[in-house]
Structures are given as C-alpha cells and as structure tokens.
Amino acid sequence: MERRTKHLLERLTKGVPDLRVPTVSLSSGQRQTVAIARSLLGNPRVLLLDEPTAALGFEQTREVLDLVDQLRDRGLGVLLISHNMGDVKALADRAAVLRLGRNNGFFDVNTASQEQIISSVTGATENVPHRMASHESGW
C-alpha cells in the first residue's frame, strides 16, 4: 500500500511528503494533492473537483492547477466546479454556467471573454427591459 501511494504521489507532485506524516500536518496544497490522489486510486476516467483551490494560497493554488492540467493532459476527464474565473480560464476548454439551478449558458472558454461568462454567472444577461418594466409596475 505504501509503495503504491508513493508511486502515485510521485506521478502527481514533485514534493512527495513523508508518507507517515499525518495529513493534518501537511500544507493546504499538499492535502488537496492527497485528496486528488485518493480519488485516482480506482483509475477513474473522470475526476470531479468542487472548488479545489478555494482555501489555498497562491503557491498552493498553482500546484493544484498544475496537477489538474497534468491529469487532463494524460486524458483524464476533469469536471471543475469553480467561481474563480482565473482557474476556469486556465484549465477549462468549455464552461457551463448554472444560475439558480438552471443552465444559464455554455461557453467555449478559449473564445468567450471573461466578461461574457461572468455576466452569465451574475445574471446580467437576463432581460433588463423586462425587469425594469416589472419594477415600474410595482412588482
């Protein structure tokens, strides 16, 4: 088990921590790498990451983004849930925006502007004249 873990972590990161150190004593980026490594034990074809960089500092975020990029380049499908447009623009090929539980747009990340995607996230793409008319009529 230890050999397999060491081999997997060596494939994922440069700085392999001592495998006998408690996870709680690792940096945030290292803990995220361990979490990703755990999810790869079953050799999945798709990896779902929900806000993987939300609680990380700059250096740890870079490590995790590099790791995700590396996994994608190896052919693993990666679904990234993120509010961080920098992460989305750095990693994604396509983005689907959900707003209030509904699909609010699909975007080719390479051609769509960050402003277009953010407008879809915030609802700025909704029908403004309709909202104004509702407001003026007292609704």
Side-chain angles (χ1 to χ4, degrees):
M1 186 168 44
E2 191 170 310
R3 258 182 298 172
R4 184 171 182 212
T5 301
K6 185 173 177 68
H7 176 70
L8 179 60
L9 285 172
E10 283 173 346
R11 285 181 30 214
L12 297 178
T13 184
K14 296 173 212 143
V16 178
D18 179 359
L19 298 181
R20 298 191 181 267
V21 171
T23 306
V24 72
S25 67
L26 299 175
S27 73
S28 299
Q30 288 172 321
R31 283 190 297 234
Q32 190 66 287
T33 300
V34 168
I36 292 170
R38 281 184 191 146
S39 68
L40 295 174
L41 287 173
N43 295 319
R45 294 190 330 215
V46 176
L47 185 63
L48 174 63
L49 299 173
D50 187 0
E51 301 284 354
T53 62
L56 302 181
F58 178 78
E59 190 62 32
Q60 290 90 7
T61 294
R62 189 182 57 73
E63 286 176 28
V64 171
L65 294 180
D66 287 347
L67 171 58
V68 173
D69 199 34
Q70 180 185 109
L71 293 171
R72 185 189 65 186
D73 288 347
R74 290 183 188 168
L76 189 68
V78 179
L79 295 172
L80 174 70
I81 299 169
S82 182
H83 290 89
N84 184 317
M85 286 302 114
D87 291 358
V88 172
K89 290 295 262 182
L91 294 174
D93 297 317
R94 292 178 299 275
V97 175
L98 301 178
R99 177 171 163 70
L100 303 175
R102 295 178 184 240
N103 179 347
N104 209 32
F106 287 100
F107 299 91
D108 178 331
V109 175
N110 296 314
T111 59
S113 71
Q114 189 165 323
E115 291 77 21
Q116 288 173 306
I117 299 171
I118 290 173
S119 292
S120 184
V121 170
T122 62
T125 58
E126 295 172 4
N127 188 343
V128 175
H130 174 71
R131 284 199 329 234
M132 291 175 71
S134 296
H135 179 54
E136 290 171 0
S137 65
W139 290 96

